Amino acid sequence: MTTPRTRRRQVLLGRLLTLFALAAAWQVFGMLGDENVKGVPKFSDVAVAFVDELGTSSLWTSLGQTLTTTAIGLALCLVIGIPAGLLLAAHPFLTVSSRFVIDFCRTVPPLAIIPLFLLIMGPTQRMAVALIVAVSVWPILLQTIHGVRNVDPELLATARSFRLPLWRRLALVVAPASMPYIFTGIRISATLSLLLTIGAELIAGVPGLGKEILLSQSVPDRMFALIVVAGVLGMLLAFVVMAIENRLLAWHYIPRRMTT
């Protein structure tokens, strides 16, 4: 019988082998002499540039700017999306009446509103934060509504039997029971917020990692190294959100693990 520790080792080994295979394929692809792919540097050159970038202050400054923008935007999405979702889901009339507006706003392509925000606010961090809120708030809002509507009716009946006011039912019963759904929205919004931040930096010239990638187009090794940094940053952000979720929702995942 495979133990959990052995299973984790197998998963880790599989991931390392996958990364090694991708690196080898990249190296071979970069060594091709075809003129159509001559702009793709070898993996070894990108790795050297990556290590060199880790020792520069410009990389860490741009990373700090990108992470700050992402964190502010995601925090605002949480402050806006969760209370609004709880309120809308608590009243069926509000849920139905706001559905059209929500569906319309969440389907607007982010690239379509960047020029509007750029015109109003300019290439600033405030513009990137506004873009994140305008796009990333919807997964949190919708998952909160979905979570509230799937709360066990017996929990609500028990809360009503104790004559708890609405705000206490939302805070003490509905919100904790909805957290698994809400964290699904948070995971989506966190990744989306980082993508929007880097996209705003690339397209609008907002200071950050995306702008550094844009400015390094003439140096392919550095440009690809910064793209790798952006990918690693996205992975770390996903791992952090998942770690927080596993920590806060241990009560939710333990019964599921016991039944599997």
Side-chain angles (χ1 to χ4, degrees), residues 5 7 34 36 51 56 61 66-67 77 85 116 124 154 161 183 196-197 207 216 235 242 254 259:
R5 179 177 297 180
R7 190 180 300 113
D34 195 324
N36 294 324
V51 174
T56 62
T61 301
T66 298
L67 286 175
C77 290
L116 175 62
T124 60
E154 293 184 2
S161 67
F183 260 101
L196 290 168
T197 300
S216 62
M235 290 180 57
M242 290 181 63
I254 289 177
T259 57

Side-chain angles (χ1 to χ4, degrees), residues 231-252:
V232 173
L233 185 62
M235 290 180 57
L236 292 177
L237 179 61
F239 288 150
V240 168
V241 174
M242 290 181 63
I244 295 174
E245 179 182 3
N246 292 334
R247 180 71 174 178
L248 295 180
L249 300 182
W251 56 269
H252 175 69

